[in-house]
Amino acid sequence: MTTTEKPASPYQVVGTRPVRPDGVDKVTGRAEYGADIKLPGMLYGRVLRSPHAHAVIKRVDVSRALAHPGVFAVVTTADFPVLGNNPVPTIRGPIPERWTREALIADGKALYKGHAIAAVAASDPHVAEDALGLIDVEYEVLPPVLSIDQAISPAAPLLHDPAITADIKGLFDPIDGRQTNIARKLEIRFGDVEQGFADSDVVIEREFSTASAHQGYIEPHNATAFWNKDGLLTVWTSTQGAFGVRDALAGVLKVPVAKLKVVPMEIGGGFGGKIPVYLEPLAAVLSRKSGRPVQITMSRAEVFEATGPTSATQMRVKMGAKRDGTLIAGEVHLAYEAGGYPGAPVPGAARSALAPYNMPHHYVEGFEVVVNKPKVAAYRAPGAPQAEFAVESVVDELAEMLKMDPVEFRLQNASKQGVRRSEGVPHGSVGTQQVLQAARDSAHYRSEMHGDKIGRGVATGYWGNGGNESAAYASVNADGTVSLVTGSVDIGGQRAALAMQFAETLGIPYDTIKSTVGDTDSIGYTSNTGGSRTTFATGWAVIEAAYDIRAQLIARAAKIWDVEPEKVTYEAGVLREEGGQTMTFKEIARKLAGSGGSIQGRAAVKPTGTGAAVATHICDVHVDTDTGKVTVTRYTAVQDVGTAIHPSYVEGQIQGGAAQGIGMALNEGYVYRPDGSMANASYLDYRMPVANDLPPIDVILVEVPNPGHPYGVRGVGEVPIVPPLAAVANAIYDAIGVRVRHLPASPAFILEELERLKK
Amino acid sequence: MTTTEKPASPYQVVGTRPVRPDGVDKVTGRAEYGADIKLPGMLYGRVLRSPHAHAVIKRVDVSRALAHPGVFAVVTTADFPVLGNNPVPTIRGPIPERWTREALIADGKALYKGHAIAAVAASDPHVAEDALGLIDVEYEVLPPVLSIDQAISPAAPLLHDPAITADIKGLFDPIDGRQTNIARKLEIRFGDVEQGFADSDVVIEREFSTASAHQGYIEPHNATAFWNKDGLLTVWTSTQGAFGVRDALAGVLKVPVAKLKVVPMEIGGGFGGKIPVYLEPLAAVLSRKSGRPVQITMSRAEVFEATGPTSATQMRVKMGAKRDGTLIAGEVHLAYEAGGYPGAPVPGAARSALAPYNMPHHYVEGFEVVVNKPKVAAYRAPGAPQAEFAVESVVDELAEMLKMDPVEFRLQNASKQGVRRSEGVPHGSVGTQQVLQAARDSAHYRSEMHGDKIGRGVATGYWGNGGNESAAYASVNADGTVSLVTGSVDIGGQRAALAMQFAETLGIPYDTIKSTVGDTDSIGYTSNTGGSRTTFATGWAVIEAAYDIRAQLIARAAKIWDVEPEKVTYEAGVLREEGGQTMTFKEIARKLAGSGGSIQGRAAVKPTGTGAAVATHICDVHVDTDTGKVTVTRYTAVQDVGTAIHPSYVEGQIQGGAAQGIGMALNEGYVYRPDGSMANASYLDYRMPVANDLPPIDVILVEVPNPGHPYGVRGVGEVPIVPPLAAVANAIYDAIGVRVRHLPASPAFILEELERLKK
């Protein structure tokens, strides 16, 4: 069931639900994913990975593998350009350039089980697999560092040589004169938090932890590369951003971007995890060495062990309130595992943690800690679900102590436009209050529950959303249809959502727009599909491209009518001469060739004005206290989605995000053995919720238009994963009185907690 | 040897000879031609073709073929939309719409041996081939019409039902009340030609004929199609124009262009012959019926028998001159075979025939005649080589009679700007005089010949060149490189020639431009690569796109420097603040993302101002009078090429055109049996000149810039095929006294003529 709270729409196309353009291709199996590419003479690559979580690599001898029949090339780190310690920027801060290579293929040291050591290209995948066994590697196994506690203990071995990062301020800075595995520390301070706690009537402090969870996209990573003799490298890959892959390849291979072409294939899920490159540079160098195209596809175990899940975390939250329910102070301590190399999503977590609420005193401190696990990657609102789990659990407990309805308590403290959020910057347009009101007034929240061991929880989440660069190009066809090209990989419906904004702007029907995704040679620079930015920022680009066309149409109509352009207007798909004749878009399209040639629109934008996203989820559970199994019986997600361009896609994003969050709450988590190997690297053992694990997820769309976008778009894709962790945990408490402070709340964990309660 | 007559260049990039961007791909076998496409589940198609040149198709029964294991679909004309007699425009005039289908797949009547009757899609090409034998076709064989004489005789059967064309004026109009096989008649009249002949001191009238010749591209026609359940049809094909294929498919399949995507693959030669569609609609409908991708590739015999060669012709030329060498009058009668359907290149032939010369009185009459042979297609300067063969043979004979040097005689009468050409329109910029002067002054022409049975001939040719629609899109990368997309299929070096004009306009290095060819979804409408238009018209488009970028760079620099845009100039790749700071293209490229986003340029143009092309060729031959074999011993092509953007490509065009013209002069010609079957449908029997048949072809580039283009470009690709026919014929006369008035002048023909001389 979906409820939309929405006034009469001023739009013709925006807000409708046309059929998705990629649907038929996908259901008929004709959509081309990366692994569908087949090229003449193509070889198959496989990657040798470290069996040890922490080891010195003393020797790699590939000679037996190279001599194996059917093997065409073997690469090790020695086949890549030597990179030094100079800092290069990343989204989470500068790192030594050498790590861009070492994270791809180990050099001297393996930092996690699964770290790539070498790669082979052979005539078929089985030969390649066989050849991996012929690569002789001599390891000196080191004790693995597998938790934050272990990592920060003075006895812990250091993963990285301090000399490498010595010149990069803020990265592995010594603490009290001692080198540690703490990569970075971040602090956000606002007001005086100690004074705040002193002024509070109630103060709670709690500790939390979460396990690593994987994005769990269905399609494994893949890359196909052909590096021709003239130095032109073409890469086909399922990625969230072809230009991001191009940038990464240019950096690690030291090739100018004009020599690179990245072709984004259809993508079977990403959720942030298909932003980094893993296989592309290996396939590229194998191709250069073999002179043939090379394709590598990961197994599911490789996806788990060698790509980036989200961080495991340890958190502590202290919050204080007045007896009247006014929040006064919040202190959040976040320690996030980064895996083998820095890059944990601490900044996003820190900025989001307290953002749903107003309170005069904040302090957030975040640590990024390296451990012998795969380097983490972005995962939908990176970092925020964990932090919000901690904060929203404490908020729930405060409401209970204050004997307030948990939604009313939140509403009383809800953040609003103009009031400062954590960093000290005032909130822009933010729908926290409207969302909480809609949750409070929802049929679900007003319903009564009946039965035993049942409970209801609510939680709110915040995510800032992104802007960044986008390009669009559109050409008008003689029959009045339009070809629209953007650089935004379509994961969640971008082709439709962009065509709709374009059609709306020109006042022409949606189904006259053919919306496609260009490769890096055929469209201007466009940042990743991620950060909930695409419908917003690439939307801006297509609107600007439509403006560009509109201006040219007016000029052309003036030429055709032989009047001044100032006398011509364009509205709702019709050109109109002041007090005179008219011409529809379709009519003038037919006349373009005969009046000077066709018309194209183009735009490259980097918009600010991204609107923040807020969601409140309501979750009902039943807990089987014999087995420890928690069943979600009813679930409603309420979210400020700005203007919903294509409501079905928006609902899909929300339902998908909620399902993933419920998975992190109840089942999903990396399980490590003491040697640092993963005990559940398969979909049989790593338990994601499937359709029959979940009830239908109801969605309430609250549309608070973002004033920073012509149609009021705000990003919708990430925030729905933020509230479920705490909503489920709070519901479990409501059902059985167990305050869940570690996730996943698996049946075993629930049973242990119930045992603990009995004592 | 190549000689360039050229002043010091004002250009940095234009006129240089950078390495071609597609070279490595092609020599390493990595370039992707149409037949290289392999799609999952792809079927292979084969076409059943009529064994009769003229026959009524009484019945087609595909049931046995359909039942054959491995056959997935069979199509006949019944699977295509029914089209009526309404006129649709073509480049040579309107035709009944039904013929767009019937030319692809016969309906009721087969009009030439090779006419498609049905097509099969099967799991492999051999199964498809076998299945063709299981299609039962009942024919009523009609007498074939195989020559112009036959076609116009009152006893000839009519190929087409007059009722079909009754409503299309100018098409099969009755002559003296009688229906004929003459499809169209064209007349160009200027002055009073009878008065002109009366005023002449010398008048010659001669008859000529030529055989059909094929373009002889190495790569056979191919098409791969996938028509998905949602109605989206994608076609991959080696074509001279993806948008032309899209238009043709939209017309014959009645599908809106927004449902069509045509991907132009690399192309192994076209010369005009890869403008029409043959296989694409068949593959498309086979795909729709089978639900699978379908690929069809022609055999060489199919290329000869079922695609369009140039017209066989019968011509008569009468010219008169004063004793002082002044041309007074010219009368040209052209009869061109069209094949089974109208479309012979009479207009171009008629316009070119007398265009090299000034003379006060002209009359050109042209007839298009249908015969039971494959429908002709464009072939490099379509129609002009034949017409100019006739005219230039007569001009040679006139010069001889007047005892004038043949070049001086031509020079005395050379056309020039502002003087009217045949149609009565004054010539624009035309380099006839400069070309003839360069030929006269050339080392070749001034050299003496020594030996027996040797001779020298010269001839001049004219071609008008085309303009039409082109689009370009370019995006600036952060490292200062640029991605440039156009819609012009690259046959003769367009990627380089366009990148060079773009680089010149922005004052940046050529090798920073990555120039690619877009498909119909990714770039604006662009007409075919043909008519010598691409370097000219798409050149205009890339220049306009560069202007678009330049304007935005100036605005951006002003923003970065915080000055008025009027204070900023851009020249030679450098932005300059009036009396202040500077910034190179590369420097500002790096700053774009941080100052509002990247920059793109776009343009769609339809330029006029195409410059005409003129060439004079000098040919030395030796004739073996025992065998009749003619050997070209030295050959020089002199041509006004406007500004040569990339001189090596220009020379390549000229050398290739000359080689094809020599082939038409000496060896190439369709040989028909009385039943209308082709006796030489293979490269063993259809004798094209190969490298060791020809001497090196020297090129003299005369650069008379075209004032209708910013860099003076004029089309260069077609005119070089025009002079060789007469140049060779005139050389043979000079060697052995035989006036060759039929081509090809094969050894057998030469021996016969020698026999005739003896009598």
Side-chain angles (χ1 to χ4, degrees):
Chain A
M1 188 198 72
T2 289
T3 316
T4 302
E5 304 203 343
K6 193 180 169 182
S9 171
Y11 304 120
Q12 303 305 309
V13 180
V14 163
T16 63
R17 299 172 184 252
V19 168
R20 56 190 293 167
D22 53 334
V24 169
D25 260 6
K26 284 179 174 164
V27 298
T28 58
R30 288 290 169 188
E32 288 217 306
Y33 294 84
D36 292 325
I37 284 281
K38 293 289 168 263
L39 300 172
M42 191 174 84
L43 305 176
Y44 295 83
R46 294 285 284 134
V47 181
L48 180 73
R49 300 187 178 279
S50 170
H52 307 295
H54 199 188
V56 175
I57 303 163
K58 306 197 77 166
R59 193 176 58 90
V60 181
D61 182 349
V62 304
S63 54
R64 287 200 302 141
L66 256 181
H68 190 60
V71 170
F72 284 73
V74 183
V75 299
T76 66
T77 190
D79 294 294
F80 287 77
V82 173
L83 305 176
N85 296 345
N86 287 332
V88 292
T90 77
I91 191 173
R92 313 251 184 260
I95 60 164
E97 190 175 19
R98 60 191 294 166
W99 286 354
T100 62
R101 185 194 67 212
E102 291 173 22
L104 292 168
I105 187 159
D107 183 12
K109 211 172 170 191
L111 291 177
Y112 55 94
K113 181 185 181 296
H115 201 160
I117 307 291
V120 171
S123 50
D124 79 59
H126 309 291
V127 173
E129 186 75 36
D130 289 348
L132 294 184
L134 300 173
I135 298 173
D136 301 302
V137 188
E138 192 183 327
Y139 296 99
E140 178 190 333
V141 179
L142 303 174
V145 175
L146 295 174
S147 70
I148 290 167
D149 286 343
Q150 249 184 302
I152 62 177
S153 101
L158 295 179
L159 271 68
H160 293 284
D161 178 357
I164 291 172
T165 56
D167 294 336
I168 303 180
K169 198 170 150 44
L171 186 62
F172 289 110
D173 287 348
I175 295 174
D176 302 334
R178 186 171 66 83
Q179 289 296 336
T180 74
N181 287 310
I182 296 173
R184 296 191 188 95
K185 181 179 178 186
L186 172 155
E187 284 182 297
I188 296 173
R189 212 184 284 273
F190 174 59
D192 177 346
V193 77
E194 289 311 324
Q195 185 61 49
F197 290 127
D199 294 346
S200 298
D201 296 322
V202 204
V203 174
I204 300 180
E205 183 169 13
R206 299 286 180 258
E207 291 192 355
F208 301 87
S209 63
T210 63
S212 274
H214 199 275
Q215 299 84 351
Y217 27 80
I218 295 173
E219 178 205 34
H221 291 263
N222 58 72
T224 309
F226 180 60
W227 201 331
N228 211 342
K229 305 289 182 207
D230 57 0
L232 288 175
L233 169 59
T234 305
V235 172
W236 297 259
T237 182
S238 298
T239 175
Q240 292 181 235
F243 288 90
V245 174
R246 191 179 73 166
D247 288 346
L249 287 168
V252 78
L253 299 174
K254 295 293 162 204
V255 171
V257 296
K259 294 283 183 188
L260 296 170
K261 175 180 177 180
V262 179
V263 184
M265 307 300 294
E266 291 286 353
I267 177 170
F271 313 109
K274 285 195 184 137
I275 293 171
V277 304
Y278 297 105
L279 301 174
E280 291 86 344
L282 306 182
V285 178
L286 284 170
S287 175
R288 193 181 58 198
K289 290 189 89 174
S290 65
R292 302 245 213 147
V294 175
Q295 181 168 90
I296 315 181
T297 306
M298 284 193 187
S299 68
R300 181 59 55 188
E302 283 182 291
V303 172
F304 276 114
E305 296 190 323
T307 74
T310 187
S311 298
T313 67
Q314 291 188 11
M315 301 170 290
R316 193 174 62 242
V317 172
K318 183 176 179 183
M319 296 182 83
K322 288 281 191 191
R323 207 162 298 281
D324 68 0
T326 308
L327 280 172
I328 302 296
E331 180 179 304
V332 178
H333 166 95
L334 306 169
Y336 276 48
E337 289 184 6
Y341 297 90
V346 173
R351 280 195 294 266
S352 303
L354 297 170
Y357 305 110
N358 295 324
M359 62 193 91
H361 308 289
H362 282 184
Y363 177 66
V364 183
E365 130 186 296
F367 297 91
E368 226 193 290
V369 182
V370 291
V371 293
N372 291 121
K373 297 181 180 175
K375 177 180 186 304
V376 301
Y379 182 10
R380 212 166 193 158
Q386 293 76 18
E388 216 73 282
F389 160 58
V391 168
E392 287 289 280
S393 294
V394 170
V395 167
D396 198 69
E397 213 169 325
L398 275 176
E400 185 192 21
M401 288 181 71
L402 296 168
K403 301 194 178 9
M404 289 184 70
D405 174 88
V407 174
E408 292 290 357
F409 178 53
R410 286 172 169 86
L411 198 45
Q412 182 173 339
N413 294 287
S415 58
K416 55 186 175 195
Q417 184 159 356
V419 175
R420 284 172 290 185
R421 63 175 194 260
S422 304
E423 309 100 302
V425 183
H427 275 291
S429 161
V430 67
T432 320
Q433 290 181 305
Q434 293 91 325
V435 165
L436 283 162
Q437 283 160 358
R440 179 193 61 196
D441 300 340
S442 67
H444 183 173
Y445 198 67
R446 286 178 308 169
S447 71
E448 293 210 353
M449 305 185 72
H450 303 283
D452 202 24
K453 316 287 188 203
I454 57 169
R456 176 170 294 165
V458 296
T460 292
Y462 169 95
W463 186 249
N465 294 331
N468 229 331
E469 287 191 82
S470 285
Y473 169 71
S475 45
V476 179
N477 295 315
D479 67 350
T481 63
V482 178
S483 303
L484 174 65
V485 186
T486 66
S488 287
V489 171
D490 185 352
I491 310 182
Q494 279 75 37
R495 274 168 290 203
L498 298 172
M500 291 172 75
Q501 295 182 64
F502 185 87
E504 184 73 48
T505 308
L506 282 176
I508 56 179
Y510 164 76
D511 61 8
T512 62
I513 315 297
K514 180 128 173 234
S515 177
T516 59
V517 182
D519 61 46
T520 58
D521 278 357
S522 63
I523 185 70
Y525 193 91
T526 298
S527 306
N528 296 321
T529 295
S532 302
R533 62 173 291 280
T534 305
T535 305
F536 168 75
T538 312
W540 255 113
V542 304
I543 292 165
E544 292 277 357
Y547 292 161
D548 187 20
I549 286 175
R550 189 175 64 188
Q552 295 173 73
L553 288 175
I554 287 171
R556 187 65 63 86
K559 183 181 166 190
I560 291 171
W561 287 332
D562 196 18
V563 300
E564 290 302 307
E566 294 70 33
K567 301 282 182 201
V568 180
T569 56
Y570 183 98
E571 202 171 344
V574 180
L575 289 147
R576 202 175 298 275
E577 184 199 347
E578 198 178 292
Q581 51 203 327
T582 64
M583 193 159 39
T584 65
F585 182 85
K586 192 169 177 170
E587 285 164 352
I588 195 171
R590 205 170 28 237
K591 294 183 179 164
L592 293 177
S595 60
S598 185
I599 281 179
Q600 306 155 70
R602 52 99 185 91
V605 302
K606 193 178 182 181
T608 53
T610 59
V614 170
T616 293
H617 289 194
I618 309 162
C619 173
D620 293 355
V621 299
H622 168 260
V623 183
D624 183 328
T625 50
D626 292 332
T627 64
K629 188 185 177 198
V630 177
T631 303
V632 177
T633 54
R634 185 171 181 183
Y635 201 95
T636 300
V638 188
Q639 183 172 322
D640 169 16
V641 299
T643 301
I645 297 293
H646 189 304
S648 300
Y649 278 122
V650 172
E651 289 154 13
Q653 287 292 321
I654 292 171
Q655 288 160 333
Q660 289 185 316
I662 295 168
M664 289 158 78
L666 291 178
N667 303 96
E668 296 186 48
Y670 275 45
V671 178
Y672 281 97
R673 302 188 187 93
D675 66 356
S677 63
M678 185 178 173
N680 58 339
S682 81
Y683 274 156
L684 280 177
D685 299 315
Y686 180 93
R687 183 76 168 83
M688 295 178 71
V690 295
N692 64 3
D693 288 323
L694 297 176
I697 290 169
D698 294 334
V699 173
I700 296 174
L701 302 183
V702 179
E703 297 197 52
V704 181
N706 171 18
H709 183 278
Y711 297 125
V713 167
R714 59 178 82 222
V716 302
E718 288 173 291
V719 80
I721 202 176
V722 181
L725 287 69
V728 171
N730 294 339
I732 293 171
Y733 173 76
D734 191 41
I736 58 172
V738 170
R739 277 283 174 200
V740 173
R741 300 205 180 98
H742 171 78
L743 296 182
S746 64
F749 173 85
I750 294 289
L751 290 180
E752 276 172 32
E753 293 295 303
L754 286 170
E755 282 304 309
R756 229 156 42 96
L757 267 191
K758 286 185 197 156
K759 279 169 198 166
Chain B
M1 188 197 73
T2 292
T3 318
T4 305
E5 303 203 343
K6 193 179 166 182
S9 169
Y11 304 121
Q12 303 304 309
V13 180
V14 164
T16 63
R17 298 171 184 255
V19 169
R20 55 190 293 166
D22 52 335
V24 169
D25 260 7
K26 285 180 174 164
V27 298
T28 58
R30 287 291 168 190
E32 287 216 309
Y33 294 86
D36 292 326
I37 285 281
K38 294 287 167 266
L39 301 172
M42 189 175 84
L43 304 176
Y44 294 84
R46 294 286 284 133
V47 181
L48 180 72
R49 297 185 181 279
S50 171
H52 307 297
H54 199 188
V56 174
I57 303 163
K58 307 196 76 163
R59 193 175 58 90
V60 181
D61 181 351
V62 303
S63 54
R64 289 199 302 142
L66 257 180
H68 190 61
V71 170
F72 285 74
V74 182
V75 298
T76 66
T77 190
D79 294 296
F80 287 78
V82 173
L83 305 176
N85 296 345
N86 285 333
V88 293
T90 77
I91 189 173
R92 314 246 184 264
I95 60 165
E97 190 175 20
R98 58 192 295 166
W99 289 353
T100 62
R101 184 193 69 211
E102 292 173 22
L104 292 167
I105 188 157
D107 183 14
K109 210 170 168 192
L111 290 178
Y112 55 93
K113 178 183 182 294
H115 202 162
I117 306 291
V120 170
S123 51
D124 79 59
H126 307 292
V127 173
E129 185 75 36
D130 290 348
L132 295 186
L134 300 173
I135 299 174
D136 301 303
V137 187
E138 189 182 328
Y139 295 100
E140 176 192 335
V141 179
L142 303 174
V145 175
L146 294 174
S147 70
I148 289 167
D149 286 341
Q150 250 183 297
I152 62 177
S153 103
L158 295 179
L159 271 68
H160 293 285
D161 178 356
I164 292 172
T165 55
D167 293 337
I168 304 181
K169 197 169 149 44
L171 188 62
F172 288 110
D173 287 347
I175 296 175
D176 302 332
R178 186 170 66 82
Q179 290 294 335
T180 74
N181 286 309
I182 297 174
R184 294 193 190 95
K185 181 178 176 187
L186 171 156
E187 284 182 298
I188 296 173
R189 211 185 286 273
F190 175 57
D192 176 347
V193 78
E194 290 310 325
Q195 185 61 48
F197 289 128
D199 294 346
S200 298
D201 297 323
V202 204
V203 174
I204 301 178
E205 183 169 12
R206 300 285 181 260
E207 292 191 353
F208 301 86
S209 64
T210 62
S212 273
H214 198 276
Q215 299 84 351
Y217 28 81
I218 296 173
E219 178 205 32
H221 291 263
N222 58 72
T224 309
F226 180 60
W227 201 331
N228 212 343
K229 304 289 181 209
D230 55 0
L232 289 176
L233 169 60
T234 305
V235 172
W236 297 259
T237 182
S238 298
T239 175
Q240 290 180 236
F243 288 90
V245 173
R246 191 179 72 168
D247 288 344
L249 288 168
V252 78
L253 300 173
K254 296 290 161 206
V255 171
V257 298
K259 293 283 184 187
L260 295 170
K261 175 180 177 180
V262 179
V263 184
M265 307 300 293
E266 291 286 355
I267 176 169
F271 313 110
K274 285 197 184 134
I275 292 172
V277 305
Y278 298 105
L279 302 174
E280 292 85 345
L282 305 183
V285 179
L286 285 169
S287 175
R288 192 182 55 199
K289 290 190 87 174
S290 65
R292 300 247 213 148
V294 175
Q295 181 168 90
I296 316 183
T297 306
M298 285 195 187
S299 68
R300 180 60 55 189
E302 283 181 291
V303 172
F304 275 114
E305 296 190 320
T307 73
T310 187
S311 298
T313 67
Q314 292 187 8
M315 300 170 289
R316 193 173 64 244
V317 172
K318 184 176 177 183
M319 295 183 83
K322 287 281 190 190
R323 205 162 299 283
D324 68 357
T326 308
L327 280 172
I328 301 297
E331 181 180 303
V332 179
H333 167 95
L334 306 169
Y336 277 48
E337 289 183 6
Y341 296 90
V346 173
R351 279 197 294 268
S352 301
L354 297 169
Y357 306 111
N358 295 325
M359 63 193 92
H361 307 290
H362 282 184
Y363 177 66
V364 184
E365 132 186 295
F367 296 91
E368 231 196 285
V369 182
V370 292
V371 293
N372 290 120
K373 296 180 180 176
K375 178 179 187 303
V376 300
Y379 181 9
R380 213 167 190 153
Q386 292 76 17
E388 216 74 282
F389 159 55
V391 168
E392 286 291 278
S393 294
V394 170
V395 166
D396 199 66
E397 214 169 323
L398 274 176
E400 187 193 20
M401 286 180 72
L402 296 169
K403 300 194 176 15
M404 289 183 72
D405 175 87
V407 174
E408 290 292 355
F409 177 55
R410 286 172 169 87
L411 198 44
Q412 183 175 337
N413 294 287
S415 59
K416 56 188 175 193
Q417 184 161 357
V419 175
R420 283 173 289 184
R421 63 175 194 259
S422 305
E423 309 100 301
V425 183
H427 275 289
S429 162
V430 64
T432 321
Q433 291 181 304
Q434 294 91 324
V435 164
L436 283 162
Q437 283 160 357
R440 180 193 60 196
D441 300 342
S442 68
H444 184 174
Y445 198 66
R446 286 179 308 167
S447 71
E448 296 207 352
M449 305 184 75
H450 303 282
D452 202 24
K453 315 285 187 203
I454 57 169
R456 176 170 296 164
V458 297
T460 292
Y462 170 95
W463 186 249
N465 294 330
N468 230 332
E469 287 191 84
S470 285
Y473 169 70
S475 46
V476 179
N477 295 314
D479 67 351
T481 63
V482 177
S483 302
L484 174 64
V485 186
T486 65
S488 287
V489 171
D490 185 353
I491 310 182
Q494 278 75 36
R495 274 168 287 205
L498 297 173
M500 290 172 76
Q501 295 181 63
F502 185 87
E504 183 75 48
T505 309
L506 282 177
I508 57 179
Y510 164 77
D511 61 7
T512 61
I513 315 298
K514 181 134 173 226
S515 177
T516 58
V517 182
D519 60 45
T520 58
D521 277 357
S522 64
I523 185 72
Y525 192 90
T526 299
S527 307
N528 296 320
T529 295
S532 301
R533 63 173 290 280
T534 306
T535 306
F536 169 76
T538 313
W540 256 113
V542 304
I543 292 165
E544 292 278 356
Y547 292 161
D548 187 21
I549 287 174
R550 189 175 64 189
Q552 295 174 73
L553 288 175
I554 287 172
R556 187 66 62 86
K559 181 180 169 192
I560 292 170
W561 287 333
D562 197 17
V563 299
E564 291 302 307
E566 294 69 32
K567 301 281 184 203
V568 180
T569 57
Y570 182 96
E571 203 171 344
V574 180
L575 289 147
R576 201 175 299 275
E577 183 200 349
E578 200 177 290
Q581 51 203 328
T582 65
M583 194 159 38
T584 65
F585 181 88
K586 190 168 179 171
E587 286 164 353
I588 195 171
R590 203 168 32 237
K591 294 182 180 163
L592 293 178
S595 60
S598 185
I599 281 178
Q600 306 156 72
R602 54 96 185 94
V605 300
K606 194 177 181 184
T608 52
T610 59
V614 169
T616 294
H617 289 194
I618 309 162
C619 174
D620 294 354
V621 300
H622 168 260
V623 183
D624 184 329
T625 50
D626 292 332
T627 62
K629 187 185 178 198
V630 177
T631 304
V632 177
T633 55
R634 186 172 181 182
Y635 201 97
T636 300
V638 188
Q639 183 174 323
D640 169 16
V641 298
T643 300
I645 297 294
H646 189 305
S648 301
Y649 279 122
V650 172
E651 290 154 13
Q653 287 292 322
I654 293 173
Q655 289 160 334
Q660 289 184 314
I662 295 169
M664 289 160 79
L666 292 177
N667 303 97
E668 296 186 46
Y670 275 45
V671 178
Y672 280 96
R673 301 189 190 91
D675 68 353
S677 63
M678 185 178 172
N680 60 338
S682 81
Y683 274 154
L684 280 177
D685 299 315
Y686 179 93
R687 184 73 171 81
M688 294 178 73
V690 296
N692 64 5
D693 288 322
L694 297 176
I697 290 168
D698 294 334
V699 173
I700 297 174
L701 301 182
V702 179
E703 299 197 50
V704 182
N706 170 18
H709 182 279
Y711 296 126
V713 167
R714 61 179 79 223
V716 302
E718 290 174 290
V719 80
I721 202 176
V722 182
L725 288 69
V728 170
N730 294 339
I732 292 172
Y733 173 74
D734 191 39
I736 58 169
V738 169
R739 277 286 173 197
V740 173
R741 298 206 178 98
H742 171 78
L743 297 180
S746 64
F749 173 83
I750 294 287
L751 289 180
E752 276 172 33
E753 292 295 302
L754 284 170
E755 280 306 309
R756 231 161 35 99
L757 265 192
K758 281 185 200 158
K759 283 168 193 165

